[in-house]
Amino acid sequence: MKRRISAVALATLMLLPVGATAAQASAIKAERTAALYEIVVETTNGSATAYLDVYNAWELSVCDDAKDGYRAKAEMKNLTTGRIIARAEAAGGVGTCDKNNYAYPTPSVNDTVRVTVWVQDGTNGSRRNTDYQDY
């Protein structure tokens, strides 16, 4: 079943140095509530968060929210066309984010997109704690 996201989530992307404390990571996550995002998706254990800003050229961002040694990854797929249209990866450690990943081609008005977020060990590791939202 297709889920429409009507609630607006608020977030700001900030970078935190590698080795940040849990309190610093939590503070950064709270500060992300300053900018407007249409979709915010967290992994099932809260270790990574993906953000989709449809008002900024369909920008996909992902942030690593846990000191677990895994990299945070996200992708946006146009379910109408079946094509992956954006990817993001934060591999710098807790508090790091990857942004400026814009959808190409831009979805049409009636298209449905899926934002998926997960963590993985290394470049070719298997996906862990995966979650998604459709828009």
Side-chain angles (χ1 to χ4, degrees), residues 73-97:
K73 295 188 89 169
E75 74 180 18
M76 181 178 8
K77 183 175 185 175
N78 185 324
L79 295 178
T80 306
T81 65
R83 186 173 177 182
I84 294 173
I85 55 177
R87 289 191 170 114
E89 177 178 337
V94 67
T96 61
C97 298

Side-chain angles (χ1 to χ4, degrees), residues 14-18 32 62-65 72 90-98:
M14 297 181 68
L15 295 178
L16 195 64
V18 175
R32 290 183 191 144
V62 68
C63 295
D64 187 344
D65 298 326
V94 67
T96 61
C97 298
D98 179 23

Side-chain angles (χ1 to χ4, degrees), residues 14 16 21-32:
M14 297 181 68
L16 195 64
T21 67
Q24 287 172 314
S26 180
I28 291 301
K29 200 168 189 178
E31 288 180 19
R32 290 183 191 144

Side-chain angles (χ1 to χ4, degrees), residues 21-109:
T21 67
Q24 287 172 314
S26 180
I28 291 301
K29 200 168 189 178
E31 288 180 19
R32 290 183 191 144
T33 61
L36 183 63
Y37 285 86
E38 194 64 25
I39 290 183
V40 177
V41 186
E42 285 190 347
T43 54
T44 56
N45 69 346
S47 61
T49 308
Y51 302 91
L52 174 60
D53 184 354
V54 298
Y55 301 109
N56 183 24
W58 292 83
E59 180 186 29
L60 178 67
S61 305
V62 68
C63 295
D64 187 344
D65 298 326
K67 192 173 184 178
D68 56 10
Y70 295 121
R71 61 183 64 204
K73 295 188 89 169
E75 74 180 18
M76 181 178 8
K77 183 175 185 175
N78 185 324
L79 295 178
T80 306
T81 65
R83 186 173 177 182
I84 294 173
I85 55 177
R87 289 191 170 114
E89 177 178 337
V94 67
T96 61
C97 298
D98 179 23
K99 58 183 183 172
N100 300 320
N101 303 290
Y102 300 98
Y104 183 80
T106 304
S108 299
V109 173

